[in-house]
Amino acid sequence: MNKLLSSTKELSDKYIMNTYKRLPLVIEKGEGVYLFDEDGNKFLDFVAGIAVNCLGYGNKKFIEAVSSQLELFNHCSNIYYNKPQTDVAEILVENSCFDKVFFCNSGAESIEAALKLCRKFGNSKKEGCNEIITMKNSFHGRTLGAITATGQAKYQKGLAPLLPNIFYGEYNNLESIKALINENTCAILMEVIQGEGGVIPADKEFLEQVRTLCDENDILLVFDEVQTGIGRTGKLFAYENYNVEPDIICLAKGLANGIPVGAMMAKEKAAKYFSPGDHASTFGGNPIAMSGAKVVLDEIINQKLLQNVRQVGDYLKAELKVLKIKYPDIIQDVRGLGLMLGVECSISPSEIISECQKNGLLLIGAGHNVIRFVPPLVISKADVDEAVSVFEKVLMKINK
Ligand SMILES: *Cc1c(COP(=O)(O)O)cnc(C)c1O
């Protein structure tokens, strides 16, 4: 240990690569929907690891399932079968419109898997049919493929050359997408609600028309539900809110309540283009991650969790809309679905977020002027009351 530096913050800044702009908070433990720092300060957590910790902290079934899996065996190669992986695959397929799943370890990896499958599909149709349309202001992750798919220049700076044949349409603008489609287009990739871009939901009509466009032109439709999936919007998958089925879906964040995991699911018409050797992951579908994912999915499918997301989410949205009326100079818009809500501000969200943190509430930004509310899916109305009262106190202070 370095003797001159003592705090976790100082040591972290010395030894860990400088890729994160961190807030001055060292997390030590979690309990329910609260996090505690190393000084014992308590925070109501409306960040949840960025829409990850859907069951909060200390869920008994989750701890029990993961611990017993650890005692059975920690890992095995995908050259063998294992039951936890098969169980989760069955639950995902039987509760979705998809036929097959590929497991990986993160959102970006699920995007990579989808990009590869789309190219396999296109190139097998016609040599050179490998163009993919994604959206401006999107976010799909940080690997070179995913960052190329991400239609925001700020994330791509200095990384040239990016992947070829990815083109950007405008979200919620059908004409801009039509203009990019040609005989070499194999897929269209988009979020159902743009998350990092500022919590911007797709218009229902837009999704329906893109679906039709894909059908007419034999193009695969891929939804990146890394953030919106697994109950976040009040349905298991956000596409269910729109009644528009994609051919491929990407999942990650909430799937295993904080154990690294990702999944790419596809309908047979796309899935059939992957054969042994085409794609793989050493850790993908690891039994520990799968034991965690099984608990999350059981809670969502068999318990009243989705109902809670809808009820408490609607309540939070209504409360935030009241604040919009009370503080029209600060709040421009309140939007989102379920427990994925955004408050668009006319002032810098970072000041509001930092003041909230000082008052025991954790929030996170999205885009350049949006504050995101993505708490654990298990929060109650009382938790919302607590969060809203801190949020309002901060707005009141800033408004003066
Ligand atoms: C977070 C996110 C990703 C990237 O996930 P990682 O696990 O960080 O690679 C991709 N797409 C969307 C929509 C996301 O919100």
Side-chain angles (χ1 to χ4, degrees), residues 106-109 111 139-142 191 196 224 226-227 252-253:
S106 68
E109 276 181 58
I111 294 290
F139 184 81
H140 299 294
R142 300 293 195 148
E191 293 153 275
E196 304 301 311
D224 178 349
V226 167
Q227 192 161 158
K253 289 193 165 85

